[in-house]
Amino acid sequence: MNDFWIILEGSLVAVSCGLLGAYLILRKMAMVGDAISHAVLPGIVIAYLVAQSRSSILLLLGAALFGLLSTFLIEILAKKARIQSDASIGITFTWLFAIGVILVSLYSGNADIDQDCVLYGDIAFVPLDTLFLGERDLGPTPIWLQGFNLFLVIAMIRIGYRGFLITSFDPSFSSGLGIKTDTWHYVLMGAVSFTVVLSFNAVGAILVVAFLVVPPATAYLLSNQLQTMMIYTVIFGVLSALIGFYLATWWSASISGAMAVASGILFLGVLVYQKLLRKRKKFLAITN
Amino acid sequence: MGANFTWVMIGCALIGAGASAVGVFSFLRKQALVGDAIAHSLLPGVALAFIIGGEKSIWVLFPGAFIAGWLSILSIEFITKSSKIKPDTAIAIVLTVFFGIGIVMLTHIQQSSYGNQSGLEDFLFGKAAAMLPSDIALFAIVDLVLISSIALTYPYLKLYSFDPEYSRAIGLPVRFIQFTLSSLTVLAVASGIQAVGVVLMSALIITPAAAARFFTSRLSQMIILAMLIGLVSAVGGVYISSLAFKMPTGPWVVMILSILAISAFVFAPSKGMVSRYNKRKEHQLKVRSENLLKLFFKLEEKGESNHFSRTELLNHRKFEGRDLETILKSLLGKRLLARSQDSFSLTEEGREEATRVVRIHRLWELYLNKRMSIAADHVHHDAEAIEHIITPELEQELLKDLGYPELDPHKQEIPGTKNLKP
Amino acid sequence: MIAFEAHNLTVSYDKQPVLWDIDFEIPEGKLVGIIGPNGSGKTTLIKAAMGILEADSGFVKIFEKSPDEIRERMGYVPQRQSVDWDFPATVMDITMMGRYRKGKLFGRLSKADREIAVDSLKRVGMYDFRDRQISELSGGQQQRVFIARSLAQQADIYLMDEPFVGIDAASEESILNILREMRSAGKTVIMVHHDLHTALEFFDWVVLLNTRLVAAGSKDEVLTEENLRTAYGGKLNVLSRIADLVKRQEYPLREEDSKE
């Protein structure tokens, strides 16, 4: 049963991250996703220190604010201080992440958070944190939280499907229609921040980027339409979690790390397969 | 601790300076985030080198890190070249997948029975204290290679960083330059695994260069300044982290680096935010002062009188709050206005200055009207803004272009053009 | 009726003024070319008209209203190169975007919307490609999809940015036919155009720009040798140096508009 919960948690993280990550890729903001995932660390540590627990929704929301804060900071550096965008991203997230790590090492005795957890989370402990309703065992709390978040993400994407589509594809045309592209941008960043914070427990602050970017990138290689890309993202996300779990057991290594590796293997597989296919087509065209 | 600690400091100084020097080129090529990908990607190299070499010596781990770093650059290139994946996504993929591999290896090592495995995670966030005096030799060699490579290829690097298209066009060995820069970057990042760790090493590539850019536009100065910033941060970070037990070095290095950089963004002379704000304020005062001088000139032109009280001035032009007082004070201070009791009048210099502003205003109106065929009733608004920024040289050119005219499009006199005829 | 009016329009791009005190009017029902050398502010004019770029001073009016009040009646074709054609979307997906409306982004699109999109695709001859991914199209076909999207907007005035750049002869012919149909239906089409030779043939009204307005009016009036020499004879030296100065000031010049 524990294995099931871990794979389920991994899949939930992979799917909610991947669906949002698909938009990050299409908006050429993959590295902003990386920045957000690093930048929420101080928020998370502060939230843990204050609440002494891992599942206070209110505090998690507060932590997610750090993600939004980092996107503002990146913009301030770029617009007010006139620093080129790649450098503003790099400066912002290394700084916020450094603050987070310092906080972790200062208070690691007090809160149940340590450096390993920052790096790759501890998805193996997910089944231990059980939610009770009176006497009834409802299953692990993180599953409920992550499941609820996934529900929110899917609802947001469904309701805002057209808004996200048009602002991602053609911001000029969107503005021409009078659509507020900035609002859509910040809604997306907010959702990414909150999802990253919720996933921190399971996969840590750095590996979460793999879940944000790799499955949707794999899907991107195969898709002609945004809907298809979303469906493939879900498939590759779940596959990564599943394969990663068994790889980790086999190698006796970090589960989340192995999930990231699995997503990488899937990506490479699709990439190479497509390359061979193209070569074959070329070859056939020449021989004909 | 004493002697050893000195060595550690020297080692960190070398690392900080070397990485920052190379970072300048990553920054100028707008490839700062590739440095981040390289840094994260070192982890599997370090872990594999440990598994093969069986010890934590930097002399064993460094080659592994170097190879892994290079592999990450090649992977990014492979992905972007053989698919429609964009560079930012490729960087993110390589960064996390390599890091994932590293974490898997690291946790695998921890679970298994490798001899002195403990402490390998120090390479994640850095642990400068683990440095041995013998390691310093490696950093010295790395710095020597970095600095001599930059010095030897400096003219090429300079041209390439500022204008890659042009370098290609004139037949510079662009591939070779790219290869050199990538190798130097990997070398610099790999040297930082002990002091800063793989997770935050990218800061030492990006941040010093960005800060140095605020003080100078010259490449040579920028490199030296970045090295200095990197050096100070590395040494300072190591010192602070040594005060607390079990404190990783990397975050403190980055902390000092970020504080230095942000201070630069805010306070740097001329390019900093404060200085730009002040310049804006100055310009505002200049605009308002010149407008007031113009008012004096125009009232005199109408032949009303040449002494005006505050109330009279306020009747002709609106001022907000204490603006009028500030402006009057500044003009009196510059002796452009004179005061007798409650009324003010232009001094000789003041009249000259007012004449200049009115002349430029009317010249610009004429220019818009004649050269840009804008109707006479549409030119005033633009001239109100431009009159405050035109330099004496441009004024000369306007005069020459328009043939030292005497009347503006509204048939008003353009004052003082005669005196300016050569 | 006046379809388009620019009044004292000054617009900056990256702080540097690229349009300087532009003043002109365009009557309804014309095919209008905006012409001028590179960097003369053509795209900026279109973007200011769409309300995407803000004017430093002056304004644009469309049918005597501000662009914000009249978006439903404005169609827009941005530069083809401004989007990523690898985007996972089909020809139909893109065309349907022409039916998106600011206030109704969340509701369902109706069957009628779909029919309008289908009809637009048929008009540009791209209906058979409706399920193709947009990266599989040629440059000219991509441009036709963009035109179809704007047709689906069912506007009265269309602003297009270089729709004739980098396209094949068949697409050019097809687009030109549509433009003429639109004119006969009483629509106004204003487009940035880079090619002087075809301008005389394509348009009945021309706006000649070089940072400032050189001339605007019917093509025979505007496309005179003298006007062309003024527009293409290089930049006004003093003007471009002042534009540089303005850029270096790094702050808005018109903080306090003087009241005299």
Side-chain angles (χ1 to χ4, degrees):
Chain A
M1 194 59 191
N2 276 359
D3 292 1
F4 169 76
W5 288 129
I6 293 172
I7 296 171
L8 182 60
E9 172 74 2
S11 306
L12 288 173
V13 169
V15 173
S16 39
C17 286
L19 291 176
L20 296 171
Y23 288 111
L24 291 179
I25 289 178
L26 295 175
R27 289 164 173 253
K28 310 197 174 49
M29 291 176 60
M31 290 310 284
V32 177
D34 182 51
I36 290 179
S37 64
H38 284 72
V40 290
L41 184 62
I44 291 170
V45 182
I46 293 168
Y48 284 0
L49 287 175
V50 173
Q52 296 290 333
S53 106
R54 295 189 162 202
S55 21
S56 154
I57 292 271
L58 209 61
L59 282 164
L60 290 181
L61 269 174
L65 277 182
F66 271 78
L68 272 182
L69 180 85
S70 72
T71 61
F72 282 124
L73 204 57
I74 290 170
E75 231 155 90
I76 288 173
L77 285 184
K79 291 210 174 119
K80 297 279 171 203
R82 312 252 178 100
I83 298 168
Q84 63 197 42
S85 69
D86 62 331
S88 347
I89 293 175
I91 293 166
T92 305
F93 83 77
T94 51
W95 184 37
L96 287 171
F97 193 72
I99 294 175
V101 177
I102 288 173
L103 287 175
V104 170
S105 46
L106 281 178
Y107 298 103
S108 55
N110 304 353
D112 81 53
I113 179 171
D114 57 23
Q115 286 178 25
D116 288 352
C117 165
V118 171
L119 290 164
Y120 44 86
D122 36 23
I123 199 167
F125 295 124
V126 161
L128 305 183
D129 181 2
T130 326
L131 188 68
F132 286 101
L133 186 71
E135 291 289 298
R136 265 185 65 188
D137 180 348
L138 295 177
T141 320
I143 299 274
W144 282 99
L145 274 175
Q146 198 59 249
F148 178 64
N149 183 51
L150 178 59
F151 169 77
L152 289 181
V153 168
I154 291 175
M156 182 186 91
I157 291 177
R158 271 203 74 97
I159 295 170
Y161 184 78
R162 258 176 272 142
F164 285 120
L165 174 65
I166 196 168
T167 53
S168 303
F169 173 67
D170 194 344
S172 287
F173 186 75
S174 316
S175 315
L177 289 177
I179 294 169
K180 302 244 179 308
T181 46
D182 279 0
T183 312
W184 288 92
H185 168 81
Y186 283 116
V187 168
L188 182 63
M189 294 301 116
V192 170
S193 302
F194 188 65
T195 304
V196 164
V197 168
L198 272 187
S199 312
F200 176 80
N201 261 335
V203 299
I206 301 178
L207 286 174
V208 71
V209 185
F211 294 82
L212 274 174
V213 174
V214 187
T218 318
Y220 177 66
L221 290 173
L222 294 168
S223 320
N224 284 341
Q225 271 190 296
L226 188 55
Q227 293 104 308
T228 0
M229 182 167 161
M230 294 297 185
I231 293 166
Y232 277 127
T233 299
V234 172
I235 294 172
F236 285 117
V238 174
L239 275 181
S240 306
L242 196 68
I243 299 172
F245 178 79
Y246 289 106
L247 284 181
T249 334
W250 180 33
W251 290 332
S252 60
S254 149
I255 298 170
S256 56
M259 288 176 175
V261 174
S263 69
I265 294 171
L266 289 170
F267 174 78
L268 191 68
V270 172
L271 187 72
V272 170
Y273 170 74
Q274 282 199 325
K275 216 175 144 83
L276 291 178
L277 211 63
R278 272 200 303 273
K279 268 208 179 130
R280 208 178 111 92
K281 256 192 200 158
K282 234 189 214 164
F283 178 73
L284 286 177
I286 292 167
T287 46
N288 283 346
Chain B
M1 178 110 181
N4 193 27
F5 192 63
T6 315
W7 281 114
V8 169
M9 289 294 211
I10 294 173
C12 293
L14 287 169
I15 291 165
S20 312
V22 177
V24 169
F25 295 99
S26 303
F27 175 83
L28 290 176
R29 288 189 303 156
K30 301 203 165 40
Q31 299 224 315
L33 293 173
V34 176
D36 193 34
I38 298 173
H40 283 72
S41 307
L42 299 182
L43 190 57
V46 170
L48 195 64
F50 173 76
I51 292 175
I52 296 170
E55 53 173 327
K56 274 187 318 183
S57 156
I58 187 80
W59 292 90
V60 172
L61 304 186
F62 188 79
F66 184 79
I67 293 168
W70 245 112
L71 215 55
S72 73
I73 293 184
L74 293 178
S75 308
I76 293 171
E77 226 170 82
F78 174 73
I79 293 173
T80 44
K81 282 216 173 116
S82 53
S83 73
K84 57 181 179 176
I85 303 266
K86 306 291 177 288
D88 67 312
T89 306
I91 292 174
I93 292 173
V94 169
L95 185 159
T96 53
V97 173
F98 271 61
F99 193 75
I101 298 173
I103 289 292
V104 164
M105 289 171 133
L106 209 63
T107 44
H108 177 73
I109 293 170
Q110 282 166 347
Q111 307 279 329
S112 328
S113 50
Y114 285 95
N116 53 349
Q117 85 273 40
S118 69
L120 206 53
E121 61 271 26
D122 284 344
F123 292 101
L124 287 161
F125 294 123
K127 189 81 193 168
M131 225 179 262
L132 301 171
S134 61
D135 297 350
I136 312 301
L138 180 74
F139 303 130
I141 296 171
V142 168
D143 265 27
L144 203 66
V145 172
L146 292 179
I147 289 165
S148 55
S149 311
I150 291 176
L152 283 173
T153 52
Y154 185 76
Y156 291 147
L157 293 182
K158 186 174 176 180
L159 191 59
Y160 176 71
S161 313
F162 283 107
D163 199 343
E165 288 309 312
Y166 179 70
S167 327
R168 208 182 303 270
I170 62 166
L172 280 192
V174 170
R175 278 302 295 177
F176 175 74
I177 297 173
Q178 281 170 344
F179 177 82
T180 312
L181 279 178
S182 299
S183 305
L184 295 182
T185 314
V186 175
L187 205 58
V189 174
S191 76
I193 48 179
Q194 259 183 332
V196 186
V198 301
V199 179
L200 286 165
M201 188 55 201
S202 56
L204 213 43
I205 295 282
I206 303 168
T207 315
R213 187 74 184 78
F214 269 71
F215 294 98
T216 172
S217 302
R218 293 196 42 191
L219 183 59
S220 52
Q221 290 175 353
M222 204 177 144
I223 293 174
I224 291 169
L225 200 57
M227 287 172 79
L228 209 65
I229 295 170
L231 189 151
V232 169
S233 315
V235 172
V238 171
Y239 179 73
I240 293 181
S241 64
S242 74
L243 300 178
F245 181 63
K246 273 187 81 174
M247 182 65 88
T249 347
W252 282 107
V253 174
V254 174
M255 195 67 192
I256 295 181
L257 201 50
S258 306
I259 290 172
L260 284 180
I262 286 165
S263 318
F265 303 155
V266 177
F267 299 113
S270 125
K271 279 189 187 161
M273 289 157 87
V274 168
S275 142
R276 288 216 317 269
Y277 176 80
N278 285 341
K279 262 196 262 170
R280 175 136 107 214
K281 279 275 166 216
E282 254 167 53
H283 180 77
Q284 220 169 35
L285 184 63
K286 177 172 179 259
V287 168
R288 290 173 181 171
S289 309
E290 289 181 352
N291 283 339
L292 189 65
L293 288 176
K294 240 173 35 182
L295 181 63
F296 274 92
F297 182 93
K298 285 186 178 162
L299 293 176
E300 280 189 13
E301 203 178 35
K302 282 184 197 156
E304 290 191 11
S305 89
N306 42 25
H307 288 264
F308 306 97
S309 69
R310 287 191 177 84
T311 344
E312 282 172 295
L313 293 171
L314 284 168
N315 280 343
H316 289 282
R317 194 181 185 99
K318 278 189 185 126
F319 293 92
E320 272 169 38
R322 299 198 38 83
D323 271 2
L324 181 60
E325 289 314 308
T326 325
I327 298 165
L328 284 174
K329 217 171 130 193
S330 141
L331 287 174
L332 286 170
K334 287 182 187 155
R335 300 191 188 286
L336 297 172
L337 284 185
R339 170 187 198 158
S340 60
Q341 281 158 342
D342 269 344
S343 73
F344 300 86
S345 63
L346 288 173
T347 62
E348 241 353 273
E349 292 85 41
R351 188 162 296 111
E352 220 168 274
E353 178 65 9
T355 313
R356 188 186 67 82
V357 179
V358 172
R359 181 171 61 238
I360 292 178
H361 179 102
R362 293 181 181 168
L363 270 174
W364 184 246
E365 287 189 336
L366 189 64
Y367 183 85
L368 291 176
N369 182 246
K370 270 183 111 172
R371 293 285 177 262
M372 293 170 62
S373 20
I374 292 168
D377 54 339
H378 277 183
V379 293
H380 174 77
H381 187 76
D382 196 53
E384 279 293 302
I386 299 300
E387 65 190 14
H388 304 295
I389 64 162
I390 284 189
T391 58
E393 300 82 51
L394 268 168
E395 187 195 348
Q396 269 303 333
E397 238 169 274
L398 269 176
L399 278 165
K400 211 157 76 187
D401 188 352
L402 296 165
Y404 301 90
E406 278 165 27
L407 291 178
D408 77 359
H410 312 291
K411 304 287 172 239
Q412 280 175 301
E413 193 203 332
I414 302 179
T417 47
K418 272 181 220 137
N419 310 337
L420 288 164
K421 244 185 201 168
Chain C
M1 189 173 187
I2 299 300
F4 184 98
E5 180 197 356
H7 182 85
N8 258 19
L9 185 70
T10 299
V11 191
S12 302
Y13 191 77
D14 192 20
K15 313 260 170 197
Q16 189 157 16
V18 281
L19 277 183
W20 211 310
D21 271 305
I22 305 288
D23 256 298
F24 67 92
E25 288 177 351
I26 292 169
E28 201 177 357
K30 300 281 184 214
L31 210 50
V32 186
I34 301 175
I35 293 173
N38 280 339
S40 57
K42 293 170 295 194
T43 295
T44 308
L45 178 59
I46 293 273
K47 286 199 168 164
M50 288 306 300
I52 299 171
L53 282 179
E54 227 173 288
D56 294 356
S57 65
F59 56 80
V60 167
K61 292 223 154 151
I62 312 258
F63 297 118
E64 285 156 24
K65 294 203 168 109
S66 84
D68 241 351
E69 294 170 300
I70 202 159
R71 293 200 181 280
E72 307 269 301
R73 291 176 67 192
M74 295 167 72
Y76 179 40
V77 180
Q79 264 178 34
R80 181 163 56 88
Q81 296 93 325
S82 69
V83 303
D84 172 15
W85 289 92
D86 285 332
F87 198 93
T90 61
V91 167
M92 192 64 193
D93 291 335
I94 304 300
T95 314
M96 284 299 278
M97 287 179 188
R99 299 307 302 158
Y100 291 10
R101 287 291 176 268
K102 188 175 145 193
K104 318 190 295 185
L105 263 185
F106 303 110
R108 280 190 168 280
L109 287 175
S110 67
K111 216 172 165 180
D113 287 320
R114 209 184 148 72
E115 272 161 24
I116 290 167
V118 165
D119 186 51
S120 309
L121 275 178
K122 282 182 180 157
R123 281 177 68 189
V124 300
M126 290 297 293
Y127 181 66
D128 294 339
F129 296 83
R130 63 191 174 280
D131 293 325
R132 285 278 185 92
Q133 210 226 316
I134 50 175
S135 64
E136 297 166 18
L137 306 177
S138 73
Q141 290 169 330
Q142 289 174 347
Q143 193 65 62
R144 274 145 78 186
V145 174
F146 260 20
I147 303 268
R149 180 175 70 174
S150 74
L151 288 177
Q153 289 185 275
Q154 298 195 313
D156 293 316
I157 181 167
Y158 291 83
L159 294 130
M160 306 185 175
D161 202 342
E162 305 238 41
F164 287 108
V165 158
I167 64 175
D168 52 291
S171 294
E172 182 174 300
E173 191 57 37
S174 147
I175 292 175
L176 204 56
N177 283 335
I178 291 160
L179 294 178
R180 291 185 175 139
E181 272 173 36
M182 288 162 86
R183 177 178 50 193
S184 356
K187 314 276 188 193
T188 311
V189 183
I190 303 173
M191 68 170 67
V192 172
H193 192 68
H194 69 294
D195 183 22
L196 259 179
H197 302 287
T198 45
L200 204 60
E201 172 196 346
F202 290 0
F203 306 117
D204 28 46
W205 203 266
V206 169
V207 176
L208 199 55
L209 282 184
N210 185 350
T211 310
R212 68 225 141 95
L213 179 73
V214 176
S218 75
K219 69 176 167 192
D220 300 318
E221 275 167 40
V222 171
L223 293 176
T224 62
E225 213 184 309
E226 195 198 334
N227 280 341
L228 288 175
R229 203 176 306 128
T230 322
Y232 286 87
K235 288 194 173 274
L236 289 178
N237 185 26
V238 176
L239 185 68
S240 53
R241 285 184 50 195
I242 287 184
D244 280 345
L245 264 186
V246 172
K247 181 180 182 176
R248 250 181 290 146
Q249 297 289 316
E250 297 197 331
Y251 33 77
L253 292 168
R254 294 165 221 266
E255 268 163 324
E256 32 132 39
D257 274 345
S258 52
K259 297 136 198 146
E260 271 186 85

